[in-house]
Amino acid sequence: MLEVPDAEALTSAALAHIQADEFMPDEERGHAESAVREDESEALAYLVDPTDLVADIPGVELAQASWSSEPVEYDPESMEWDLDEEDGEYDEETTDNA
């Protein structure tokens, strides 16, 4: 989970990053700027390179990366947001492929 308390700062940083990319074609630059202005997840995607996240981990090579995000209302009192719950616990009915 990632919280963006200052969406304007995030967007500004992404726009600056796009402007500084000397290899980006102008048509793609216009599309990228528009996407970043409309969606904070797009801004984040232009600033975070998945390769950089794993580059220094021994034995790991990034084969493919993708992004997925959606805005949600965070309620720390809700059981849905219980961060102490163990990973991998899920409802078996939703994973039954039979």
Side-chain angles (χ1 to χ4, degrees), residues 9-78:
L10 175 65
T11 300
S12 294
L15 290 171
H17 181 77
I18 292 167
Q19 283 299 315
D21 186 346
E22 61 188 50
F23 300 109
M24 185 180 290
D26 288 340
E27 183 176 309
E28 185 179 335
R29 187 181 319 275
H31 174 73
E33 289 172 343
S34 176
V36 162
R37 285 187 182 100
E38 293 176 18
D39 186 352
E40 288 89 11
S41 64
E42 289 290 333
L44 185 63
Y46 277 96
L47 294 171
V48 177
D49 182 354
T51 305
D52 291 343
L53 297 175
V54 298
D56 295 331
I57 300 174
V60 173
E61 182 178 327
L62 183 66
Q64 182 177 353
S66 65
W67 285 96
S68 176
S69 68
E70 64 182 88
V72 296
E73 293 295 323
Y74 175 61
D75 177 4
E77 301 299 318
S78 170

